[in-house]
Amino acid sequence: MQLGLIGLGKMGGNMAERIRRAGHEVIGYDNAPGKRDVDSLEALVAALEAPRVVWVMVPSGDPTRQTVRALGELLSEGDVIVDGGNSKFTDDKVHADELAPKGIGYVDAGVSGGVWGLENGYALMVGGSVEDVAKVQPVFDALKPPVSTEEQTAGEAGAGFVHAGPVGAGHFSKMVHNGIEYAMMQAYGEGYELLAAVDLVEDVPGVIASWTQGTVIRSWLLDLLVLALKEDPGLDRITGYAEDSGEGRWTVEQAIENAVPMPAISASLFARFASRQTDSPTMKAVAALRNQFGGHAVHAVEAVKPEAEKPA
């Protein structure tokens, strides 16, 4: 089949290549002239045969909203837009409602796989109507991991793809996936720090690597930590500043709204906030309180001496 793909960055470019390897035609558009096959959204739509499927793979928020709305003015009844970025699930219903009067379908696809997806395949969590998802299914089949021999023998479709429900269900599922990812990464990080903090363990990278086989905590994330430690055994080349891309916050917001306890995921999100503070105001208050009620010592900020008083 034909697919229009907007956004040919690290993930989008690899996805286009994997889809092409499966025998499909991909016509790509990107703001960067060196990557794209056509020079405009108008040219992209004109190059596709109806009914068209256009996959949007640009940063979430306004870039995605603007792209979907622009496509809504260019596409026709029977066409389908797929949002494969990390959009908030509440945006999906807005887009679907805006496109519905024009007869344009909308599918939200949560995609996991990162830069490794080209070779390993991508996990896909999809929301939309049965009819719209069916129009995109050949592309989903090209992107997802291959079915194992055991699954083929059992007649199963294989993991890596799910039609999670109506519009919004795909991005909601990916949001929860990323919230779990936050907590797993935090646990691995804390375990690494404790191992590195004691003199007893002489080969911290080796211990981490030993966990990748035969243990209940083995995972792809653990494999990636092993790779990171192989490249930089003491993690000396990077700082401990960790960003969050939004999904962890949205997961905690939904936990509050639905009264679902999420202590691990919440703590992992707040730990990322703490990583951005070189001198935490919270811990300043804690230290001050310990000094006030118990006379516990505090570490005073060293006064900055005038230039004339500084040692040569």
Side-chain angles (χ1 to χ4, degrees):
M1 67 172 285
Q2 273 189 325
L3 178 74
L5 181 59
I6 302 171
L8 302 171
K10 290 180 180 179
M11 277 194 69
N14 282 348
M15 289 167 64
E17 176 61 22
R18 186 172 176 87
I19 296 166
R20 287 179 176 129
R21 289 181 184 180
H24 303 294
E25 180 184 2
V26 179
I27 301 172
Y29 172 72
D30 193 277
N31 286 331
K35 297 180 178 181
R36 62 197 187 194
D37 301 311
V38 292
D39 296 331
S40 66
L41 293 182
E42 291 81 0
L44 176 70
V45 171
L48 296 170
E49 298 176 2
R52 307 170 186 88
V53 175
V54 181
W55 189 302
V56 179
M57 203 69 189
V58 301
S60 60
D62 285 338
T64 293
R65 296 184 195 110
Q66 292 166 6
T67 303
V68 170
R69 284 170 183 153
L71 287 171
E73 299 300 320
L74 298 171
L75 294 173
S76 305
E77 183 176 353
D79 295 343
V80 175
I81 296 174
V82 182
D83 177 7
N86 281 329
S87 295
K88 192 171 185 179
F89 72 96
T90 50
D91 285 353
D92 295 319
K93 188 175 187 306
V94 174
H95 292 152
D97 288 347
E98 290 175 349
L99 295 167
K102 303 175 183 180
I104 301 171
Y106 179 85
V107 172
D108 58 291
V111 183
S112 181
V115 297
W116 302 84
L118 174 59
E119 301 301 333
N120 298 341
Y122 300 86
L124 303 160
M125 296 142 270
V126 173
S129 71
V130 172
E131 295 76 16
D132 289 336
V133 170
K135 292 178 182 178
V136 194
Q137 192 64 54
V139 173
F140 294 143
D141 290 340
L143 288 172
K144 71 181 184 180
V147 178
S148 69
T149 303
E150 293 78 7
E151 289 166 333
Q152 290 176 346
T153 302
E156 298 175 357
F161 170 83
V162 62
H163 183 183
V167 166
H171 280 148
F172 192 95
S173 300
K174 179 59 164 43
M175 175 194 75
V176 176
H177 164 282
N178 283 21
I180 294 169
E181 179 184 292
Y182 275 46
M184 291 176 66
M185 292 169 69
Q186 184 67 25
Y188 286 139
E190 291 174 6
Y192 164 77
E193 181 174 356
L194 181 57
L195 287 170
V198 301
D199 295 330
L200 184 63
V201 178
E202 297 177 350
D203 184 4
V204 173
V207 171
I208 301 292
S210 76
W211 294 344
T212 63
Q213 299 295 326
T215 73
V216 296
I217 64 168
R218 63 189 184 273
S219 73
W220 185 33
L221 281 174
L222 189 62
D223 294 341
L224 294 177
L225 179 56
V226 170
L227 182 61
L229 291 171
K230 184 177 181 180
E231 295 172 352
D232 183 8
L235 300 181
D236 299 319
R237 301 177 197 165
I238 59 175
T239 67
Y241 187 107
E243 280 286 6
D244 70 287
S245 55
E247 297 92 333
R249 300 186 190 208
W250 303 337
T251 302
V252 173
E253 288 172 0
Q254 287 303 305
I256 294 169
E257 185 170 328
N258 291 281
V260 174
M262 276 193 174
I265 292 176
S266 300
S268 67
L269 174 65
F270 295 144
R272 295 200 182 190
F273 298 161
S275 78
R276 302 164 203 172
Q277 299 177 329
T278 55
D279 194 12
S280 167
T282 297
M283 298 317 296
K284 284 185 177 185
V286 170
L289 285 168
R290 292 183 75 249
N291 177 256
Q292 290 294 325
F293 73 71
H296 300 289
V298 296
H299 293 268
V301 177
E302 184 179 356
V304 178
K305 296 180 179 178
E307 288 294 327
E309 297 181 23
K310 289 184 178 179

